[in-house]
Amino acid sequence: MIWRTKMGLATAVFCAVGAGGASALASEPLIQAFVGTMEDLSLYRWRQRLIVIFAPSPHDQRYIAARETMLGQKAGLVERDIVVLVDASPDAGGGLRAQLGVDGFRMLLIGKDGGVKIDRAAPIPAEVLFATIDAMPMRQREMRED
């Protein structure tokens, strides 16, 4: 997958840089570094739900807590078609960060329809994310079809 950024083309990296470095998540395809724009999110529309985590640095305690929560919920993420996108490097020039005016930590849940369902300045507990998703009409249909 290729994303257009302010700095040109960037290949999607299937890891997020956080405490422990890139190698800590290199085998976690559900968590991806992201410096794209709102338009780039359309690649996921109708296919996957997104959790987008912005952090002022990969050492931010809120980011570390959110990342650890997501890593501990792999089965729930897969079951609900969730991909976690991370921008923990403000200096990378992430277009989405700029478009949303993000300064500091922010965590969003974006539905398959592309709409923002939750937008918080603190880590969102997995129970809240999953309960919100499971209450959505599209998810209700998915559960009936399984």
Side-chain angles (χ1 to χ4, degrees), residues 77-101:
L77 296 174
V78 170
E79 179 184 334
R80 291 168 180 85
D81 300 324
I82 298 172
V83 171
V84 181
L85 302 177
V86 174
D87 178 349
S89 301
D91 295 337
L96 185 59
R97 179 185 289 271
Q99 287 173 316
L100 296 175

Side-chain angles (χ1 to χ4, degrees), residues 40-109:
D40 297 319
L41 296 182
S42 67
L43 298 170
Y44 297 94
R45 185 171 273 172
W46 305 118
R47 295 185 2 213
Q48 293 168 304
R49 295 173 181 90
L50 301 173
I51 294 172
V52 183
I53 303 172
F54 296 97
S57 88
H59 306 290
D60 182 86
Q61 291 302 308
R62 295 163 296 184
Y63 165 67
I64 293 168
R67 180 186 59 123
E68 292 302 316
T69 296
M70 295 300 99
L71 288 174
Q73 298 295 325
K74 286 191 260 186
L77 296 174
V78 170
E79 179 184 334
R80 291 168 180 85
D81 300 324
I82 298 172
V83 171
V84 181
L85 302 177
V86 174
D87 178 349
S89 301
D91 295 337
L96 185 59
R97 179 185 289 271
Q99 287 173 316
L100 296 175
V102 173
D103 183 31
F105 182 90
R106 196 149 153 206
M107 190 167 174
L108 296 95
L109 170 62

